[in-house]
Amino acid sequence: MVYLFSSLVFFLLSIFFHVILSHILLYFGKKSILLVSVFAVGGLIHVAVTYVLAGQPEKFDGLFFFPLSVSSSMLYFLFVFIYLVYFLATYSGEESPSLKLFYLLRDEKGRSFSEIKREFPKKEMIDMRIKSLVTGKFVKQNKDKYLILSRGEWLANVFRHYRNLLGWRSSG
Amino acid sequence: MYLGTIATYLVGGQAVNMDLQIVFSSILSFVLFFILHVYIFSRIDHSKVLIWIVKTCMIGTIFPLLFALLFSFYFPVFGSSALLQFVVVYLVSFLLYSLLSIGYVLGMFGLLESSLRIRILEKIASRGKEGISKKDINALYKNDVIIAKRLKRFVRSGDISYKNGLYTMKRRFSYFVVHAFIFESMKKIYLSKK
């Protein structure tokens, strides 16, 4: 129990420090993805704590101190992974069309297809995404054409194989 | 065996076996969930993915239970009762399996299913050295199609109703409510936006 609790505590503490540091950077008009390293520090402290607890079984005995070092580290990693998926989506500043649709319709007023369509400018839907692919060095722009780069090709192949595995022809 | 030796060295004590049983149980449960997911998703109607991904994750929760039973009967941990071993292995591996499934749905499946960016990337990759113009990409991805596809998915999942030509959000709890809530909270916390 204590081991699992330690994962949760260090995860929450990492979030706390991550938020504080992000706001400090934001105050100076900056933004950095490197701040996610706070979670690595949190993970290392958690591992150190479990190492200390497990090293003294005569002192920390009983059900509450059941040694779950590997499980609790895995728990910490999964908490961080899921949190970062959400954080990175927020960090990019883009909203997925599904989420935008959800926010738009949740006032329960009811909208027609043409009313909904008006809220989705093409520039936002496609252009922003192409721009982010260029920024991330997945594709490059050559005059009026977009060409795939090796990193992008690798990622595209991963998803192509994944789609084939599920037997899907299209998505997105 | 090798992993067990490392883990014993790291934490010491017999109970470490239970720790490894939990890790194996959760990972194997996730692998079985993935096989089941591939089997089911290659056979269902594409517009029903939201319903089926939740159903598949729920069906998969049976695996940690089965592994916990298997481990407590066939691989008893020295110094611990079978019941205690079952309860600890089941609860913790259930938690880890759930997080693994959520991580997979958010980080991998979600991208394949609805990411426009991935779809555009694949389209650019398919053209190879020839490349593709923005005009051609725009022609391939029409706003109407993108929105209609998502509306259809929401209607099928029961999150949105379609009556008399109007789309309305239903007042109900769903996976997407939680998803939207987390995004909104993130925006509030990091960007101080409402």
Side-chain angles (χ1 to χ4, degrees), chain A residues 71 94-95 106 120 162, chain B residues 19 104 117 141 143 184 187:
Chain A
S71 312
E94 291 169 29
E95 210 159 56
R106 71 173 167 187
F120 289 82
Y162 182 29
Chain B
D19 193 18
Y104 165 72
R117 192 178 286 104
Y141 296 101
N143 266 18
E184 273 188 315
K187 273 188 191 169

Side-chain angles (χ1 to χ4, degrees), chain B residues 37-193:
Chain B
H37 157 69
V38 169
Y39 178 80
I40 293 173
F41 277 67
S42 56
R43 279 156 182 80
I44 59 158
D45 175 4
H46 204 143
S47 61
K48 289 181 181 171
V49 287
L50 276 182
I51 306 168
W52 273 102
I53 194 67
V54 177
K55 277 186 185 174
T56 317
C57 287
M58 299 293 255
I59 296 167
T61 58
I62 197 95
F63 300 127
L65 180 79
L66 295 177
F67 282 115
L69 279 171
L70 183 85
F71 284 133
S72 50
F73 274 112
Y74 294 102
F75 303 98
V77 171
F78 176 76
S80 167
S81 73
L83 181 67
L84 177 70
Q85 184 185 350
F86 168 74
V87 171
V88 174
V89 173
Y90 172 61
L91 291 180
V92 184
S93 54
F94 172 80
L95 175 68
L96 293 176
Y97 158 78
S98 305
L99 292 174
L100 276 167
S101 312
I102 293 168
Y104 165 72
V105 172
L106 291 174
M108 192 78 187
F109 180 75
L111 289 181
L112 177 80
E113 165 51 24
S114 60
S115 174
L116 272 175
R117 192 178 286 104
I118 295 293
R119 204 72 189 112
I120 294 167
L121 181 76
E122 283 186 296
K123 199 49 79 182
I124 298 171
S126 71
R127 296 292 175 103
K129 287 177 185 168
E130 189 192 318
I132 186 168
S133 67
K134 190 182 269 182
K135 198 180 157 193
D136 287 342
I137 298 172
N138 281 328
L140 284 166
Y141 296 101
K142 291 188 168 53
N143 266 18
D144 301 33
V145 179
I146 296 166
I147 301 162
K149 206 170 183 177
R150 280 152 181 83
L151 281 170
K152 193 179 170 189
R153 201 189 295 143
F154 276 131
V155 171
R156 280 288 181 103
S157 69
D159 287 309
I160 288 174
S161 68
Y162 180 65
K163 268 180 197 166
N164 308 322
L166 297 176
Y167 290 95
T168 317
M169 182 67 65
K170 283 184 186 173
R171 196 187 285 267
R172 67 193 276 273
F173 181 80
S174 73
Y175 150 74
F176 225 84
V177 173
V178 182
H179 191 60
F181 171 78
I182 298 173
F183 266 114
E184 273 188 315
S185 308
M186 283 278 191
K187 273 188 191 169
K188 280 179 193 166
I189 294 169
Y190 284 100
L191 310 170
S192 306
K193 276 184 188 174

Side-chain angles (χ1 to χ4, degrees), chain A residues 9 14 18 22 30 33 35 39 45 57-58 60 67 70 74 81 88 98 118 121 125 132 139 145-146 153 156 163:
Chain A
V9 168
S14 302
H18 187 245
S22 298
K30 286 176 183 172
I33 196 71
L35 274 186
F39 291 98
I45 299 172
E58 66 289 337
F60 302 108
V70 188
M74 190 175 164
F81 177 77
L88 293 173
S98 304
R118 250 180 270 141
M125 296 264 272
S132 75
V139 299
K145 298 256 179 170
Y146 288 96
E153 197 163 13
R163 180 172 290 107

